[in-house]
Amino acid sequence: MEMLSTSPKFITGVHMPRGRRLRMVSPLARSISNLISRAIKPPPTKICGSDGGPPVTANRVRLSDGRHLAYHESGVNKADAKYKIVFSHGFVGSRFDSLRASPEVIEELGVYMVGFDRAGYGESDPNPNRDVRTAALDVEELADSLGLGPKFYLVGFSIGNSAVWGALKYIPERLAGAVLMAPVINYRWPGFPPELASETYNKQDMGDQWALRVAYYAPSILHWWMEQSWLPTSTVIKGTTTLPNKLDEEIRRSRMADGSGQKRVNQATQQGKYESFYREMKVMFGKWDFDPMDLPEPPFPVHLFQGDEDGLVPVTLQRYIADKLSWIKYHELPSTGHYLSSVPGLGDKVLRTVFGNPSSE
């Protein structure tokens, strides 16, 4: 037994030179690393107009970096317009989204509006360098390409307001006014009191908490995380978020029943969920280069419309922003949820509030 216990055959592993052990481990480590890299790598993007990609059916402008933005115009003729608006759509949105104001009010006020597929959505090319700043610069280039003049109005809905905050930061000289409608917030903006941000963050579904946590701390694995059925993921994408407002719930139920909701998703994500939904989450809920609550007062009016029964954006945080930025004209809508463009008459009210002849609050 003593001879066996001291035999080189049994003690080789103990005295193997360190360099040799590392040479044996390195291939295994590389193999594991390669497996992980392949697992978290998003699938190839299906660029509109490319071989195997969706067709291009929309009007598009070419940007300075070679990308294209798809757009849709509505309202009065651009040459005759008194007010020109760029509309930045929400999460499951497109160039066809708008304020849904009545034709009579649009004609009366002389409003031209252009909606566009934001980068990676619909028929607009993805931007691998997309962030809050590039979102604002896309708006500026679109306006210049369409000849909207030195100043224009910018309206954002929901998560599309990252472009509005970005414009207030990076291109304020180009704006005549701005409207934020139910703007999505980032719980990690430094301006929020930690206890308030933590309280509202923890009221979310566990899947939403984890999705936002991954988007902030580990954005490189977000696509992989969101595609795993066994992990807690976003209820917004799954369509299972609790909606306390009756109209919001009716709209969601109707879209699920008639298939229009899935059609909107398919249109928004036709180039890939990574380039639309997941890159959107990384921009909105990742690290920002500035805190919106540090923005100086701009030389034009900024309005914020928020429903007090919004199940997607905490009204308490919106109130804090409006209180911190006293120059924001805050409009809290009673018994109203998140889908503001579907609220009867609200589009008309927004236009009259911003451009004159406001109806009674």
Side-chain angles (χ1 to χ4, degrees):
M1 293 296 295
E2 184 178 355
M3 289 180 62
L4 288 174
S5 65
T6 58
S7 169
K9 180 179 179 181
F10 289 91
I11 65 174
T12 299
V14 177
H15 295 288
M16 181 186 296
R18 182 173 181 273
R20 183 179 174 188
R21 291 201 305 273
L22 290 176
R23 285 195 298 272
M24 293 179 64
V25 172
S26 293
L28 177 60
R30 283 196 297 271
S31 297
I32 294 174
S33 176
N34 289 337
L35 286 173
I36 294 174
S37 296
R38 285 197 294 270
I40 66 175
K41 184 179 181 180
T45 302
K46 297 175 289 187
I47 302 293
C48 283
S50 65
D51 291 341
V56 175
T57 64
N59 292 322
R60 304 203 303 178
V61 298
R62 184 181 175 88
L63 305 181
S64 58
D65 63 2
R67 290 183 297 116
H68 297 85
L69 287 184
Y71 66 92
H72 175 76
E73 298 170 290
S74 61
V76 304
N77 187 283
K78 182 168 52 182
D80 302 324
K82 184 176 181 181
Y83 304 108
K84 297 169 184 175
I85 296 175
V86 177
F87 188 89
S88 179
H89 66 76
F91 199 60
V92 187
S94 75
R95 62 189 180 276
F96 298 110
D97 291 358
S98 71
L99 286 170
R100 296 189 187 178
S102 67
E104 294 78 14
V105 171
I106 289 175
E107 186 71 28
E108 174 193 340
L109 296 177
V111 176
Y112 160 91
M113 191 177 306
V114 59
F116 67 105
D117 292 337
R118 294 187 292 112
Y121 279 86
E123 296 185 26
S124 287
D125 293 338
N127 182 359
N129 301 312
R130 182 178 168 193
D131 58 18
V132 178
R133 180 176 177 273
T134 64
L137 297 183
D138 280 0
V139 169
E140 181 179 35
E141 283 206 62
L142 174 68
D144 288 343
S145 296
L146 297 179
L148 301 193
K151 292 182 183 291
F152 53 88
Y153 291 83
L154 179 57
V155 178
F157 171 64
S158 189
I159 205 166
N161 279 292
S162 59
V164 180
W165 289 121
L168 291 171
K169 169 67 175 179
Y170 297 111
I171 57 167
E173 71 283 357
R174 299 302 310 275
L175 301 183
V179 179
L180 301 106
M181 301 186 67
V184 171
I185 56 86
N186 185 322
Y187 291 87
R188 293 178 174 82
W189 284 338
F192 286 130
E195 64 278 5
L196 178 61
S198 179
E199 177 187 353
T200 51
Y201 182 86
N202 290 330
K203 287 181 179 178
Q204 297 181 105
D205 182 272
M206 187 59 67
D208 294 308
Q209 293 184 40
W210 270 104
L212 269 58
R213 193 175 288 127
V214 173
Y216 186 83
Y217 290 108
S220 62
I221 69 167
L222 181 64
H223 176 272
W224 172 84
W225 183 281
M226 295 297 294
E227 295 296 311
Q228 306 308 307
S229 60
W230 54 278
L231 288 174
T233 58
S234 171
T235 65
V236 177
I237 291 180
K238 291 187 291 187
T240 59
T241 308
T242 300
L243 299 177
N245 180 259
K246 183 179 179 181
L247 178 59
D248 278 0
E249 182 57 40
E250 289 176 353
I251 291 171
R252 181 170 66 182
R253 189 183 304 115
S254 174
R255 288 175 177 175
M256 291 177 66
D258 65 14
S260 62
Q262 189 58 49
K263 183 178 179 180
R264 284 170 61 87
V265 170
N266 293 343
Q267 182 181 36
T269 64
Q270 64 178 338
Q271 298 182 90
K273 279 188 178 181
Y274 176 77
E275 294 296 352
S276 47
F277 287 178
Y278 302 151
R279 197 179 290 278
E280 179 85 271
M281 292 173 65
K282 291 198 289 185
V283 171
M284 183 68 234
F285 303 115
K287 297 178 176 66
W288 284 41
D289 291 334
F290 68 97
D291 182 349
M293 284 171 276
D294 289 335
L295 289 172
E297 181 176 0
F300 50 80
V302 178
H303 295 264
L304 194 160
F305 291 83
Q306 174 67 39
D308 67 352
E309 293 181 356
D310 192 325
L312 298 173
V313 182
V315 67
T316 52
L317 294 184
Q318 216 70 278
R319 290 169 182 162
Y320 186 87
I321 292 173
D323 184 63
K324 190 78 178 288
L325 299 177
S326 58
W327 43 266
I328 283 184
K329 301 180 186 301
Y330 181 61
H331 310 269
E332 188 165 305
L333 309 172
S335 304
T336 303
H338 187 72
Y339 302 134
L340 299 188
S341 60
S342 297
V343 176
L346 183 58
D348 289 353
K349 179 177 180 177
V350 170
L351 290 184
R352 290 195 181 281
T353 299
V354 175
F355 300 134
N357 296 321
S359 58
S360 58
E361 289 285 322

